[in-house]
C-alpha cells in the first residue's frame, strides 16, 4: 500500500535513504541543496553517502531498532539500493511515507520475477527460462538460439554473476562457478545499441521522462552514456512508451530506470532498477533537473517538472582501473572547460569499482566522443 505524505514535504524536513553508496551521496547532495536534512541507514562505518549527510544510522538493513530510528527521524524514506529486504521497507512503510513501494523493489530484486512481470504485462523482453540444477542446462541451452547468457537470479550487478555461453559445457561450468544457485538463462541479443530511460513518477500518477540515453558497456559495466542517443525517432518513441508502460504496471512512485536492447526498430527490456541509475548521471550536468532532484521531489509528494536538455553530453565512468593507472591524477580533469567531475569519495580503488564519473558537455556528441577518446588514450591499460 502506497502511503503518500499527507501534505508536500518541504525544505527543513528530514529525508531518509537506505544504502550508503554513491547513489545515496548524490541523492544527499541534491536534497541538502534544496534545504532538506538527510539520514542515511548503512552498515558501513563511513562511506560516500554518510560522509555528506546529517545523520548516519549504522546498522544492518534488517535491524528493526535502526529502521525504527530512521522512521522516527524522517518525513519520508527512499532507497538507493534494490537489495534492501522488502520486509524492511514494509516495516518502514507502517511508520513513514516510503517510495518506491516495496512491491516494485521486490520485482527488481529477482531477475526471474522481473522477467515474469514483463511477460505478464506485455512488455517486450528476450526469450528466457529458469534453471535450478545442472541437469536442466542442456535443455535450457537447446531452447536458445545458439548463444545464451546465464545470470544468477539474485544479487548480480556490473557483470558479476553472469556469463555469455556458446555451448552446454560452458554453461554448466558457469552454473557451477556461481555455486549452483537458481539462474536465468536467456538468449544472447546481438543488439545494435543499448538504451535506457529514466522516468520519475509522483504519488498522483504524473510522470516526467528524461531524454533517452545510449549506453556502452565494457565487461558488463557501464562505460559511456551518450545523450542524445543515436537512434531513430521511432526507437526513441517506443522506448518512452515502454518506460511509461513499465512504470504504470508497477504503480511506480519515485525514479525508475529501464534498460533496453535495440535491434533495428525493435526494443527488448533487459532490466529495471527501482532508483536513480548510473546511465542517468548525465542529468547532473546536461538537463534542467537531475534524476536525484526528481528523486527528492517525488518522495516529498511534489509534482514532476518538465525535463529539458540544455547540452549534448557524454558520461564517462571512472573505475578503479583508471584511478590505479600509472600517471593518473584528478587534477587535469578538474581543470578542463568541457567536463564536470563527480568523485564518490570511496576510501580505496579496486579493479572494476566505480570511483567517479565525468560528464563531458559541449556542442555535439561527435566532438565529445573524440574528446573522451583523446583523454582515454593517455591510459591505455585502463580501458
Ligand atoms: P545486466 O546485468 O543484465 O544489465 O547485464 C550487463 C550487460 O551485459 C548488459 O548491459 C549488456 O551489455 C550485457 N548483456 C546482458 N544480457 C545480455 C543478453 N541477453 N544479450 C547480450 N548482451 C547482454
Amino acid at each position: 500500500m502506497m502511503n503518500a505524505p499527507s501534505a508536500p514535504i518541504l525544505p527543513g524536513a528530514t529525508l531518509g535513504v537506505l544504502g550508503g553508496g554513491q547513489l545515496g551521496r548524490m541523492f544527499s547532495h541534491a536534497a541538502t541543496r534544496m534545504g532538506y536534512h538527510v539520514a542515511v541507514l548503512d552498515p558501513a562505518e563511513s562511506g560516500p553517502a554518510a560522509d555528506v549527510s546529517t545523520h548516519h544510522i549504522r546498522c544492518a538493513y534488517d535491524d528493526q531498532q535502526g529502521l525504527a530510528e530512521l522512521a522516527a527521524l524522517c518525513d519520508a524514506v527512499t532507497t538507493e539500493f534494490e537489495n534492501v529486504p522488502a520486509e524492511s521497507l514494509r516495516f518502514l512503510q507502517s511508520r513513514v511515507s516510503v517510495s518506491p513501494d516495496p512491491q516494485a523493489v521486490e520485482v527488481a530484486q529477482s531477475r526471474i520475477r522481473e522477467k515474469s512481470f514483463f511477460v505478464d504485462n506485455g512488455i517486450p523482453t528476450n526469450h528466457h527460462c529458469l534453471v535450478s540444477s545442472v541437469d536442466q542446462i542442456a535443455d535450457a541451452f537447446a531452447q536458445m538460439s545458439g548463444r545464451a547468457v546465464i545470470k544468477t537470479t539474485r544479487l548480480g550487478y556490473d557483470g558479476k554473476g553472469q556469463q555469455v555461453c556458446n555451448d552446454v559445457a560452458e554453461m554448466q561450468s558457469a552454473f557451477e562457478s556461481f555455486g549452483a544457485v537458481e539462474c536465468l538463462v536467456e538468449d544472447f541479443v546481438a543488439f545494435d545499441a543499448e538504451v535506457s530511460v529514466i522516468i520519475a513518477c509522483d504519488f498522483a500518477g504524473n510522470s516526467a521522462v528524461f531524454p533517452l540515453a545510449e549506453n556502452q558497456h565494457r565487461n558488463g559495466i557501464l562505460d559511456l552514456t551518450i545523450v542524445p542517443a543515436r537512434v531513430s525517432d521511432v526507437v526513441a518513441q517506443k522506448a518512452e512508451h515502454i518506460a511509461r508502460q513499465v512504470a504504470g504496471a508497477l504503480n511506480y512512485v519515485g525514479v525508475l530506470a529501464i534498460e533496453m536492447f535495440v535491434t533495428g526498430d525493435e526494443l527488448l527490456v533487459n532490466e529495471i532498477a527501482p532508483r536513480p541509475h548510473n546511465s542517468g548521471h548525465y542529468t547532473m550536468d546536461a538537463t534542467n533537473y537531475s534524476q536525484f532532484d526528481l528523486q527528492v521531489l517525488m518522495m516529498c509528494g511534489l509534482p514532476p517538472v518538465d525535463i529539458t536538455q540544455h547540452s549534448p553530453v557524454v558520461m564517462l565512468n571512472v573505475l578503479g582501473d583508471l584511478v590505479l593507472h600509472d600517471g593518473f591524477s584528478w587534477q587535469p580533469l578538474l581543470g578542463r572547460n568541457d567536463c564536470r567531475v563527480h568523485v564518490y569519495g570511496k576510501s580505496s580503488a579496486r579493479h572494476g569499482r566505480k570511483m567517479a564519473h565525468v560528464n563531458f558537455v559541449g556542442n555535439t556528441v561527435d566532438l565529445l566522443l573524440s574528446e573522451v577518446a583523446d583523454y582515454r588514450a593517455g591510459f591505455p591499460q585502463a580501458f
Side-chain angles (χ1 to χ4, degrees):
M1 262 300 291
M2 274 296 174
N3 54 350
S6 49
I9 298 168
L10 298 172
T14 301
L15 305 179
V17 61
L18 295 162
Q22 65 266 22
L23 298 175
R25 180 185 181 92
M26 292 183 272
F27 164 79
S28 190
H29 281 148
T32 50
R33 199 188 54 240
M34 288 186 234
Y36 296 94
H37 302 286
V38 174
V40 175
L41 186 146
D42 180 58
E45 190 181 338
S46 63
D51 288 351
V52 300
S53 298
T54 318
H55 308 277
H56 178 195
I57 299 170
R58 189 182 170 200
C59 68
Y61 295 118
D62 59 357
D63 179 322
Q64 284 220 344
Q65 203 182 323
L67 292 165
E69 200 184 321
L70 185 73
L73 260 177
C74 296
D75 298 277
V77 174
T78 189
T79 181
E80 63 119 45
F81 165 62
E82 63 262 39
N83 290 315
V84 165
E87 273 321 300
S88 300
L89 292 171
R90 290 204 178 89
F91 175 83
L92 286 167
Q93 209 176 30
S94 65
R95 296 166 179 237
V96 65
S97 175
V98 173
S99 61
D101 193 80
Q103 218 179 323
V105 176
E106 249 174 343
V107 169
Q109 279 175 352
S110 150
R111 290 191 188 272
I112 191 65
R113 275 192 76 158
E114 203 172 59
K115 283 274 193 258
S116 308
F117 162 79
F118 298 151
V119 172
D120 294 347
N121 290 282
I123 292 151
T125 192
N126 52 338
H127 185 55
H128 59 275
C129 66
L130 189 65
V131 291
S132 46
S133 74
V134 73
D135 41 285
Q136 293 172 333
I137 301 253
D139 186 41
F141 190 83
Q143 291 177 45
M144 304 297 140
S145 47
R147 201 164 191 218
V149 187
I150 183 166
K151 303 179 176 181
T152 57
T153 56
R154 301 186 80 82
L155 303 174
Y157 69 100
D158 286 347
K160 295 191 179 73
Q162 67 170 272
Q163 192 178 317
V164 177
C165 303
N166 294 300
D167 58 45
V168 173
E170 208 179 337
M171 190 171 283
Q172 284 171 335
S173 67
F175 178 78
E176 302 287 4
S177 75
F178 299 152
V181 293
E182 188 181 65
C183 284
L184 185 76
V185 170
E186 57 181 50
D187 250 336
F188 180 85
V189 181
F191 52 74
D192 300 325
E194 288 189 80
V195 294
S196 58
V197 178
I198 311 288
I199 184 168
C201 309
D202 72 3
F203 282 94
N206 305 303
S207 56
V209 176
F210 285 92
L212 185 66
E214 175 185 345
N215 301 317
Q216 293 181 358
H217 292 78
R218 268 174 201 251
N219 305 318
I221 307 178
L222 185 64
D223 179 37
L224 292 180
T225 296
I226 301 160
V227 190
R230 296 163 302 171
V231 296
S232 67
D233 290 347
V234 174
V235 166
Q237 281 158 15
K238 274 191 186 176
E240 181 170 335
H241 174 78
I242 291 171
R244 290 188 187 281
Q245 219 186 333
V246 173
L250 286 169
N251 286 320
Y252 197 81
V253 176
V255 172
L256 173 71
I258 300 104
E259 294 184 78
M260 305 174 219
F261 298 133
V262 184
T263 315
D265 278 347
E266 293 309 311
L267 285 159
L268 296 172
V269 176
N270 175 34
E271 62 174 359
I272 59 174
R275 51 170 172 76
H277 190 257
N278 196 166
S279 66
H281 290 355
Y282 80 88
T283 62
M284 296 173 83
D285 298 307
T287 50
N288 55 341
Y289 283 80
S290 78
Q291 59 172 351
F292 301 102
D293 295 332
L294 268 287
Q295 187 181 19
V296 174
L297 296 177
M298 298 304 92
M299 74 188 289
C300 288
L302 294 159
V305 285
D306 288 334
I307 301 300
T308 51
Q309 183 172 1
H310 51 71
S311 314
V313 58
V314 174
M315 186 231 45
L316 170 69
N317 254 352
V318 175
L319 303 185
D321 308 61
L322 176 60
V323 172
L324 296 169
H325 196 286
D326 285 348
F328 172 82
S329 161
W330 296 112
Q331 196 174 335
L333 283 171
L334 290 167
R336 292 176 66 129
N337 288 329
D338 58 353
C339 69
R340 298 292 296 273
V341 186
H342 302 263
V343 184
Y344 307 149
K346 295 186 182 176
S347 54
S348 61
R350 284 196 305 269
H351 169 68
R353 189 175 201 200
K354 291 175 180 169
M355 302 303 293
H357 68 271
V358 183
N359 284 327
F360 287 77
V361 179
N363 292 331
T364 68
V365 154
D366 285 345
L367 203 63
L368 296 171
L369 285 170
S370 75
E371 284 166 22
V372 171
D374 288 347
Y375 174 71
R376 286 192 207 260
F379 304 95
Q381 284 122 45
F383 296 101

